[in-house]
PDB file of all heavy atoms in Angstrom:
ATOM      1  N   MET T   1     175.152 115.314  80.129  1.00 33.00           N
ATOM      2  CA  MET T   1     175.388 114.519  78.917  1.00 33.00           C
ATOM      3  C   MET T   1     174.136 114.481  78.070  1.00 33.00           C
ATOM      4  O   MET T   1     173.046 114.340  78.585  1.00 33.00           O
ATOM      5  CB  MET T   1     175.771 113.113  79.371  1.00 33.00           C
ATOM      6  CG  MET T   1     175.606 112.094  78.283  1.00 33.00           C
ATOM      7  SD  MET T   1     176.670 110.727  78.544  1.00 33.00           S
ATOM      8  CE  MET T   1     178.216 111.502  78.722  1.00 33.00           C
ATOM      9  N   LEU T   2     174.369 114.586  76.817  1.00 35.00           N
ATOM     10  CA  LEU T   2     173.219 114.576  75.931  1.00 35.00           C
ATOM     11  C   LEU T   2     172.735 113.149  75.755  1.00 35.00           C
ATOM     12  O   LEU T   2     173.453 112.293  75.320  1.00 35.00           O
ATOM     13  CB  LEU T   2     173.626 115.151  74.576  1.00 35.00           C
ATOM     14  CG  LEU T   2     172.455 115.342  73.633  1.00 35.00           C
ATOM     15  CD1 LEU T   2     172.503 116.735  73.076  1.00 35.00           C
ATOM     16  CD2 LEU T   2     172.482 114.336  72.531  1.00 35.00           C
ATOM     17  N   SER T   3     171.516 112.903  76.151  1.00 36.00           N
ATOM     18  CA  SER T   3     170.974 111.583  75.840  1.00 36.00           C
ATOM     19  C   SER T   3     169.474 111.672  75.735  1.00 36.00           C
ATOM     20  O   SER T   3     168.859 112.680  76.051  1.00 36.00           O
ATOM     21  CB  SER T   3     171.388 110.573  76.898  1.00 36.00           C
ATOM     22  OG  SER T   3     170.660 110.785  78.077  1.00 36.00           O
ATOM     23  N   SER T   4     168.903 110.658  75.245  1.00 35.00           N
ATOM     24  CA  SER T   4     167.465 110.437  75.197  1.00 35.00           C
ATOM     25  C   SER T   4     166.561 111.652  75.080  1.00 35.00           C
ATOM     26  O   SER T   4     166.062 112.170  76.058  1.00 35.00           O
ATOM     27  CB  SER T   4     167.017 109.648  76.415  1.00 35.00           C
ATOM     28  OG  SER T   4     167.551 110.204  77.572  1.00 35.00           O
ATOM     29  N   ARG T   6     163.050 112.201  73.914  1.00 34.00           N
ATOM     30  CA  ARG T   6     162.051 111.164  73.836  1.00 34.00           C
ATOM     31  C   ARG T   6     161.129 111.234  72.633  1.00 34.00           C
ATOM     32  O   ARG T   6     160.975 112.285  72.039  1.00 34.00           O
ATOM     33  CB  ARG T   6     161.190 111.217  75.104  1.00 34.00           C
ATOM     34  CG  ARG T   6     161.930 110.754  76.303  1.00 34.00           C
ATOM     35  CD  ARG T   6     162.542 109.431  76.004  1.00 34.00           C
ATOM     36  NE  ARG T   6     163.325 108.965  77.124  1.00 34.00           N
ATOM     37  CZ  ARG T   6     162.945 107.997  77.941  1.00 34.00           C
ATOM     38  NH1 ARG T   6     161.814 107.397  77.784  1.00 34.00           N
ATOM     39  NH2 ARG T   6     163.739 107.613  78.901  1.00 34.00           N
ATOM     40  N   ASN T  13     156.847 121.988  63.200  1.00 38.00           N
ATOM     41  CA  ASN T  13     156.557 123.190  62.435  1.00 38.00           C
ATOM     42  C   ASN T  13     157.293 123.209  61.118  1.00 38.00           C
ATOM     43  O   ASN T  13     157.116 124.080  60.307  1.00 38.00           O
ATOM     44  CB  ASN T  13     156.927 124.418  63.235  1.00 38.00           C
ATOM     45  CG  ASN T  13     158.364 124.360  63.645  1.00 38.00           C
ATOM     46  OD1 ASN T  13     158.871 123.287  63.934  1.00 38.00           O
ATOM     47  ND2 ASN T  13     159.037 125.472  63.632  1.00 38.00           N
ATOM     48  N   TYR T  52     163.011 131.355  64.936  1.00 66.00           N
ATOM     49  CA  TYR T  52     163.216 130.832  66.287  1.00 66.00           C
ATOM     50  C   TYR T  52     164.620 131.162  66.764  1.00 66.00           C
ATOM     51  O   TYR T  52     165.339 130.315  67.262  1.00 66.00           O
ATOM     52  CB  TYR T  52     162.981 129.327  66.296  1.00 66.00           C
ATOM     53  CG  TYR T  52     161.564 128.977  65.936  1.00 66.00           C
ATOM     54  CD1 TYR T  52     161.248 128.533  64.671  1.00 66.00           C
ATOM     55  CD2 TYR T  52     160.554 129.119  66.873  1.00 66.00           C
ATOM     56  CE1 TYR T  52     159.948 128.223  64.331  1.00 66.00           C
ATOM     57  CE2 TYR T  52     159.257 128.824  66.545  1.00 66.00           C
ATOM     58  CZ  TYR T  52     158.952 128.382  65.275  1.00 66.00           C
ATOM     59  OH  TYR T  52     157.665 128.087  64.958  1.00 66.00           O
ATOM     60  N   ASN T  55     165.789 130.295  70.436  1.00 69.00           N
ATOM     61  CA  ASN T  55     166.094 128.885  70.614  1.00 69.00           C
ATOM     62  C   ASN T  55     167.524 128.607  70.169  1.00 69.00           C
ATOM     63  O   ASN T  55     168.308 127.957  70.842  1.00 69.00           O
ATOM     64  CB  ASN T  55     165.113 128.068  69.764  1.00 69.00           C
ATOM     65  CG  ASN T  55     165.407 126.596  69.798  1.00 69.00           C
ATOM     66  OD1 ASN T  55     165.529 126.019  70.864  1.00 69.00           O
ATOM     67  ND2 ASN T  55     165.537 125.993  68.641  1.00 69.00           N
ATOM     68  N   ARG T  75     192.916 120.657  83.223  1.00 92.00           N
ATOM     69  CA  ARG T  75     193.818 121.458  84.045  1.00 92.00           C
ATOM     70  C   ARG T  75     194.215 120.663  85.283  1.00 92.00           C
ATOM     71  O   ARG T  75     195.392 120.584  85.636  1.00 92.00           O
ATOM     72  CB  ARG T  75     193.136 122.766  84.446  1.00 92.00           C
ATOM     73  CG  ARG T  75     194.052 123.726  85.162  1.00 92.00           C
ATOM     74  CD  ARG T  75     193.336 124.962  85.599  1.00 92.00           C
ATOM     75  NE  ARG T  75     193.120 125.903  84.494  1.00 92.00           N
ATOM     76  CZ  ARG T  75     192.335 126.965  84.580  1.00 92.00           C
ATOM     77  NH1 ARG T  75     191.685 127.212  85.688  1.00 92.00           N
ATOM     78  NH2 ARG T  75     192.194 127.762  83.555  1.00 92.00           N
ATOM     79  N   GLU T  80     198.305 117.416  88.074  1.00 90.00           N
ATOM     80  CA  GLU T  80     198.659 116.214  88.815  1.00 90.00           C
ATOM     81  C   GLU T  80     199.842 115.506  88.149  1.00 90.00           C
ATOM     82  O   GLU T  80     200.739 114.990  88.801  1.00 90.00           O
ATOM     83  CB  GLU T  80     197.430 115.288  88.825  1.00 90.00           C
ATOM     84  CG  GLU T  80     197.539 114.077  89.703  1.00 90.00           C
ATOM     85  CD  GLU T  80     197.533 114.432  91.179  1.00 90.00           C
ATOM     86  OE1 GLU T  80     196.782 115.354  91.555  1.00 90.00           O
ATOM     87  OE2 GLU T  80     198.282 113.785  91.934  1.00 90.00           O
ATOM     88  N   ARG T  81     199.815 115.475  86.821  1.00 89.00           N
ATOM     89  CA  ARG T  81     200.741 114.629  86.072  1.00 89.00           C
ATOM     90  C   ARG T  81     202.085 115.299  85.823  1.00 89.00           C
ATOM     91  O   ARG T  81     203.120 114.642  85.816  1.00 89.00           O
ATOM     92  CB  ARG T  81     200.087 114.228  84.748  1.00 89.00           C
ATOM     93  CG  ARG T  81     200.880 113.237  83.953  1.00 89.00           C
ATOM     94  CD  ARG T  81     200.074 112.750  82.775  1.00 89.00           C
ATOM     95  NE  ARG T  81     200.936 112.192  81.743  1.00 89.00           N
ATOM     96  CZ  ARG T  81     201.384 110.951  81.746  1.00 89.00           C
ATOM     97  NH1 ARG T  81     201.072 110.149  82.745  1.00 89.00           N
ATOM     98  NH2 ARG T  81     202.163 110.515  80.777  1.00 89.00           N
ATOM     99  N   ILE T 232     195.196 109.590  71.990  1.00 88.00           N
ATOM    100  CA  ILE T 232     195.639 109.215  73.338  1.00 88.00           C
ATOM    101  C   ILE T 232     194.955 107.932  73.794  1.00 88.00           C
ATOM    102  O   ILE T 232     195.180 107.450  74.894  1.00 88.00           O
ATOM    103  CB  ILE T 232     195.423 110.337  74.390  1.00 88.00           C
ATOM    104  CG1 ILE T 232     193.943 110.519  74.720  1.00 88.00           C
ATOM    105  CG2 ILE T 232     196.040 111.636  73.945  1.00 88.00           C
ATOM    106  CD1 ILE T 232     193.740 111.292  76.021  1.00 88.00           C
TER     107      ILE T 232
ATOM    108  N   TRP A  29     165.725 101.695  74.615  1.00 81.00           N
ATOM    109  CA  TRP A  29     166.066 102.870  75.426  1.00 81.00           C
ATOM    110  C   TRP A  29     166.988 102.488  76.560  1.00 81.00           C
ATOM    111  O   TRP A  29     167.940 103.189  76.880  1.00 81.00           O
ATOM    112  CB  TRP A  29     164.816 103.537  75.997  1.00 81.00           C
ATOM    113  CG  TRP A  29     164.263 104.578  75.099  1.00 81.00           C
ATOM    114  CD1 TRP A  29     163.030 104.574  74.538  1.00 81.00           C
ATOM    115  CD2 TRP A  29     164.920 105.753  74.628  1.00 81.00           C
ATOM    116  NE1 TRP A  29     162.880 105.684  73.746  1.00 81.00           N
ATOM    117  CE2 TRP A  29     164.013 106.420  73.780  1.00 81.00           C
ATOM    118  CE3 TRP A  29     166.179 106.306  74.825  1.00 81.00           C
ATOM    119  CZ2 TRP A  29     164.323 107.615  73.138  1.00 81.00           C
ATOM    120  CZ3 TRP A  29     166.494 107.493  74.186  1.00 81.00           C
ATOM    121  CH2 TRP A  29     165.576 108.133  73.357  1.00 81.00           C
ATOM    122  N   GLU A  33     170.798 104.080  77.093  1.00 81.00           N
ATOM    123  CA  GLU A  33     171.262 104.728  78.321  1.00 81.00           C
ATOM    124  C   GLU A  33     172.461 103.999  78.894  1.00 81.00           C
ATOM    125  O   GLU A  33     173.411 104.600  79.390  1.00 81.00           O
ATOM    126  CB  GLU A  33     170.136 104.754  79.360  1.00 81.00           C
ATOM    127  CG  GLU A  33     168.952 105.607  78.954  1.00 81.00           C
ATOM    128  CD  GLU A  33     169.235 107.089  79.109  1.00 81.00           C
ATOM    129  OE1 GLU A  33     170.307 107.431  79.637  1.00 81.00           O
ATOM    130  OE2 GLU A  33     168.388 107.893  78.685  1.00 81.00           O
ATOM    131  N   TRP A  36     175.659 104.923  77.106  1.00 84.00           N
ATOM    132  CA  TRP A  36     176.209 106.204  77.552  1.00 84.00           C
ATOM    133  C   TRP A  36     176.962 106.033  78.855  1.00 84.00           C
ATOM    134  O   TRP A  36     178.013 106.607  79.066  1.00 84.00           O
ATOM    135  CB  TRP A  36     175.091 107.224  77.759  1.00 84.00           C
ATOM    136  CG  TRP A  36     174.698 107.888  76.502  1.00 84.00           C
ATOM    137  CD1 TRP A  36     173.612 107.596  75.740  1.00 84.00           C
ATOM    138  CD2 TRP A  36     175.379 108.946  75.829  1.00 84.00           C
ATOM    139  NE1 TRP A  36     173.581 108.418  74.644  1.00 84.00           N
ATOM    140  CE2 TRP A  36     174.640 109.243  74.671  1.00 84.00           C
ATOM    141  CE3 TRP A  36     176.542 109.663  76.101  1.00 84.00           C
ATOM    142  CZ2 TRP A  36     175.031 110.244  73.778  1.00 84.00           C
ATOM    143  CZ3 TRP A  36     176.915 110.657  75.215  1.00 84.00           C
ATOM    144  CH2 TRP A  36     176.173 110.932  74.075  1.00 84.00           C
ATOM    145  N   TYR A  50     196.572 107.994  83.063  1.00 89.00           N
ATOM    146  CA  TYR A  50     197.603 109.017  83.093  1.00 89.00           C
ATOM    147  C   TYR A  50     197.859 109.587  84.484  1.00 89.00           C
ATOM    148  O   TYR A  50     198.910 110.146  84.725  1.00 89.00           O
ATOM    149  CB  TYR A  50     197.233 110.141  82.119  1.00 89.00           C
ATOM    150  CG  TYR A  50     197.236 109.680  80.682  1.00 89.00           C
ATOM    151  CD1 TYR A  50     196.051 109.388  80.013  1.00 89.00           C
ATOM    152  CD2 TYR A  50     198.439 109.527  79.997  1.00 89.00           C
ATOM    153  CE1 TYR A  50     196.066 108.952  78.695  1.00 89.00           C
ATOM    154  CE2 TYR A  50     198.459 109.089  78.680  1.00 89.00           C
ATOM    155  CZ  TYR A  50     197.270 108.802  78.037  1.00 89.00           C
ATOM    156  OH  TYR A  50     197.289 108.371  76.738  1.00 89.00           O
ATOM    157  N   ARG A  53     195.268 110.288  90.813  1.00 90.00           N
ATOM    158  CA  ARG A  53     194.167 110.982  91.479  1.00 90.00           C
ATOM    159  C   ARG A  53     193.896 112.327  90.804  1.00 90.00           C
ATOM    160  O   ARG A  53     194.786 112.910  90.202  1.00 90.00           O
ATOM    161  CB  ARG A  53     194.447 111.168  92.967  1.00 90.00           C
ATOM    162  CG  ARG A  53     195.844 111.658  93.306  1.00 90.00           C
ATOM    163  CD  ARG A  53     196.038 111.868  94.793  1.00 90.00           C
ATOM    164  NE  ARG A  53     195.797 110.645  95.566  1.00 90.00           N
ATOM    165  CZ  ARG A  53     194.928 110.573  96.572  1.00 90.00           C
ATOM    166  NH1 ARG A  53     194.245 111.639  96.935  1.00 90.00           N
ATOM    167  NH2 ARG A  53     194.774 109.457  97.236  1.00 90.00           N
ATOM    168  N   TYR A  81     161.325 113.609  83.228  1.00 90.00           N
ATOM    169  CA  TYR A  81     161.965 114.116  82.014  1.00 90.00           C
ATOM    170  C   TYR A  81     161.012 114.286  80.826  1.00 90.00           C
ATOM    171  O   TYR A  81     160.910 115.368  80.259  1.00 90.00           O
ATOM    172  CB  TYR A  81     163.152 113.236  81.615  1.00 90.00           C
ATOM    173  CG  TYR A  81     163.769 113.676  80.324  1.00 90.00           C
ATOM    174  CD1 TYR A  81     164.604 114.789  80.302  1.00 90.00           C
ATOM    175  CD2 TYR A  81     163.487 113.036  79.122  1.00 90.00           C
ATOM    176  CE1 TYR A  81     165.147 115.235  79.126  1.00 90.00           C
ATOM    177  CE2 TYR A  81     164.019 113.488  77.933  1.00 90.00           C
ATOM    178  CZ  TYR A  81     164.859 114.585  77.945  1.00 90.00           C
ATOM    179  OH  TYR A  81     165.374 115.040  76.773  1.00 90.00           O
ATOM    180  N   ASN A 119     164.182 103.870  82.792  1.00 87.00           N
ATOM    181  CA  ASN A 119     165.125 104.652  83.572  1.00 87.00           C
ATOM    182  C   ASN A 119     165.318 104.084  84.967  1.00 87.00           C
ATOM    183  O   ASN A 119     166.401 104.187  85.542  1.00 87.00           O
ATOM    184  CB  ASN A 119     164.653 106.103  83.672  1.00 87.00           C
ATOM    185  CG  ASN A 119     164.595 106.769  82.317  1.00 87.00           C
ATOM    186  OD1 ASN A 119     163.534 107.138  81.850  1.00 87.00           O
ATOM    187  ND2 ASN A 119     165.741 106.889  81.680  1.00 87.00           N
ATOM    188  N   ARG A 176     159.810 127.831  70.425  1.00 69.00           N
ATOM    189  CA  ARG A 176     160.526 126.595  70.169  1.00 69.00           C
ATOM    190  C   ARG A 176     161.670 126.491  71.170  1.00 69.00           C
ATOM    191  O   ARG A 176     162.572 127.314  71.173  1.00 69.00           O
ATOM    192  CB  ARG A 176     161.093 126.578  68.757  1.00 69.00           C
ATOM    193  CG  ARG A 176     161.560 125.187  68.355  1.00 69.00           C
ATOM    194  CD  ARG A 176     162.543 125.278  67.224  1.00 69.00           C
ATOM    195  NE  ARG A 176     161.922 125.083  65.934  1.00 69.00           N
ATOM    196  CZ  ARG A 176     162.618 125.016  64.809  1.00 69.00           C
ATOM    197  NH1 ARG A 176     163.912 125.136  64.824  1.00 69.00           N
ATOM    198  NH2 ARG A 176     162.002 124.842  63.675  1.00 69.00           N
ATOM    199  N   GLY A 179     166.250 123.882  72.050  1.00 72.00           N
ATOM    200  CA  GLY A 179     167.592 124.298  72.441  1.00 72.00           C
ATOM    201  C   GLY A 179     167.766 124.276  73.943  1.00 72.00           C
ATOM    202  O   GLY A 179     168.848 124.015  74.462  1.00 72.00           O
ATOM    203  N   TYR A 182     168.527 120.842  75.227  1.00 78.00           N
ATOM    204  CA  TYR A 182     169.966 120.605  75.101  1.00 78.00           C
ATOM    205  C   TYR A 182     170.703 121.333  76.206  1.00 78.00           C
ATOM    206  O   TYR A 182     171.701 120.865  76.710  1.00 78.00           O
ATOM    207  CB  TYR A 182     170.461 121.057  73.736  1.00 78.00           C
ATOM    208  CG  TYR A 182     170.109 120.081  72.652  1.00 78.00           C
ATOM    209  CD1 TYR A 182     168.925 120.195  71.949  1.00 78.00           C
ATOM    210  CD2 TYR A 182     170.963 119.026  72.355  1.00 78.00           C
ATOM    211  CE1 TYR A 182     168.590 119.289  70.968  1.00 78.00           C
ATOM    212  CE2 TYR A 182     170.634 118.116  71.380  1.00 78.00           C
ATOM    213  CZ  TYR A 182     169.443 118.245  70.683  1.00 78.00           C
ATOM    214  OH  TYR A 182     169.114 117.345  69.731  1.00 78.00           O
ATOM    215  N   PHE A 185     171.021 119.218  79.230  1.00 86.00           N
ATOM    216  CA  PHE A 185     172.062 118.193  79.152  1.00 86.00           C
ATOM    217  C   PHE A 185     173.451 118.807  79.208  1.00 86.00           C
ATOM    218  O   PHE A 185     174.362 118.253  79.817  1.00 86.00           O
ATOM    219  CB  PHE A 185     171.893 117.360  77.877  1.00 86.00           C
ATOM    220  CG  PHE A 185     170.765 116.395  77.988  1.00 86.00           C
ATOM    221  CD1 PHE A 185     169.623 116.538  77.231  1.00 86.00           C
ATOM    222  CD2 PHE A 185     170.841 115.336  78.892  1.00 86.00           C
ATOM    223  CE1 PHE A 185     168.572 115.645  77.350  1.00 86.00           C
ATOM    224  CE2 PHE A 185     169.789 114.451  79.020  1.00 86.00           C
ATOM    225  CZ  PHE A 185     168.658 114.598  78.253  1.00 86.00           C
TER     226      PHE A 185
END
Side-chain angles (χ1 to χ4, degrees):
Chain T
M1 161 154 307
L2 187 130
S3 74
S4 48
R6 289 309 177 106
N13 56 324
Y52 297 101
N55 176 52
R75 187 183 282 169
E80 188 69 38
R81 186 172 159 84
I232 72 163
Chain A
W29 270 119
E33 295 284 354
W36 277 101
Y50 294 102
R53 45 178 58 235
Y81 176 77
N119 297 115
R176 193 201 264 186
Y182 283 91
F185 285 112

